[in-house]
Amino acid sequence: MVYPIVKYGETVLETKAATVIDFDTPELNKLVDDMFESMYAAKGVGLAATQIGIGKRIAVIDISVGEDPTHKIVLINPEIMAKEGAQTGEEGCLSIPGFREQVTRAQKVTVRAQDAKGETFEITGTDLLARAFLHETDHLNGMLYISHVSPLKRDLIRRKVRKLQKAGEWG
Ligand SMILES: [Zn+2]
């Protein structure tokens, strides 16, 4: 099932998501499958549960955008363990469509998480994958990428979004 993506302005996006306690349940497996489906439908490389209105610490990532199943990553209760270096590049978010900003992030990131069975694992990514780990983990902490841009740019985005909301052109 494809969920609609929750847009910037909804409280769930700026609320810390709850730790997942029950693993290996049909509900969790279904939710993870639906999250991949929703992410591919929206042509994203990452999706946090909060972006479909579910306040649970679950994120899915696939930097191949569905081209290579070995790239599918499920992060449940993720925690950033290590960050190294820096990269600056354009970042966007499915919840803030139509906007992209330069964001500086660590170049190499190690994350510890659980899979849908509850097994703990660590994974290290560089470049886009490192960026995705940070972006999605931020989401689960109620933080959006625009909190990493200058206050001036953030205000500009907020104002543009407000205009779109008033015009009924924002979900
Ligand atoms: Zn996002």
Side-chain angles (χ1 to χ4, degrees):
M1 166 190 169
V2 173
Y3 282 86
I5 307 289
V6 170
K7 302 266 172 62
Y8 175 49
E10 297 281 336
T11 334
V12 66
L13 287 176
E14 292 176 272
T15 305
K16 195 174 175 193
T19 302
V20 174
I21 297 162
D22 292 324
F23 290 90
D24 208 14
T25 62
E27 293 77 18
L28 182 61
N29 292 331
K30 169 91 169 82
L31 178 57
V32 167
D33 286 347
D34 287 346
M35 284 177 65
F36 275 110
E37 210 180 320
S38 306
M39 178 179 76
Y40 293 140
K43 295 185 167 51
V45 297
L47 184 77
T50 49
Q51 292 183 278
I52 54 167
I54 295 171
K56 290 184 181 174
R57 301 183 75 76
I58 307 168
V60 295
I61 292 172
D62 179 357
I63 58 166
S64 82
V65 203
E67 291 297 313
D68 182 351
T70 65
H71 281 71
K72 288 173 82 171
I73 298 169
V74 178
L75 299 176
I76 302 179
N77 302 328
E79 269 182 81
I80 303 298
M81 303 307 288
K83 293 195 267 190
E84 251 179 70
Q87 56 170 323
T88 299
E90 247 192 15
E91 199 165 315
C93 179
L94 295 175
S95 295
I96 317 175
F99 297 91
R100 296 187 76 79
E101 292 295 336
Q102 294 287 321
V103 179
T104 300
R105 299 276 197 178
Q107 194 269 332
K108 187 178 176 187
V109 172
T110 299
V111 58
R112 180 185 291 168
Q114 284 165 282
D115 63 19
K117 288 187 158 52
E119 296 290 328
T120 299
F121 64 96
E122 273 193 23
I123 183 169
T124 299
T126 57
D127 306 319
L128 178 59
L129 189 54
R131 186 179 288 281
F133 287 160
L134 295 168
H135 183 112
E136 300 313 326
T137 305
D138 272 358
H139 265 305
L140 301 178
N141 292 326
M143 199 195 259
L144 298 168
Y145 84 92
I146 53 169
S147 60
H148 297 291
V149 306
S150 71
L152 200 71
K153 280 189 178 157
R154 193 160 53 241
D155 281 348
L156 194 66
I157 293 172
R158 280 209 189 110
R159 257 183 282 140
K160 284 182 180 168
V161 167
R162 218 164 286 149
K163 260 189 200 166
L164 289 167
Q165 283 169 332
K166 275 187 190 155
E169 290 163 12
W170 193 256

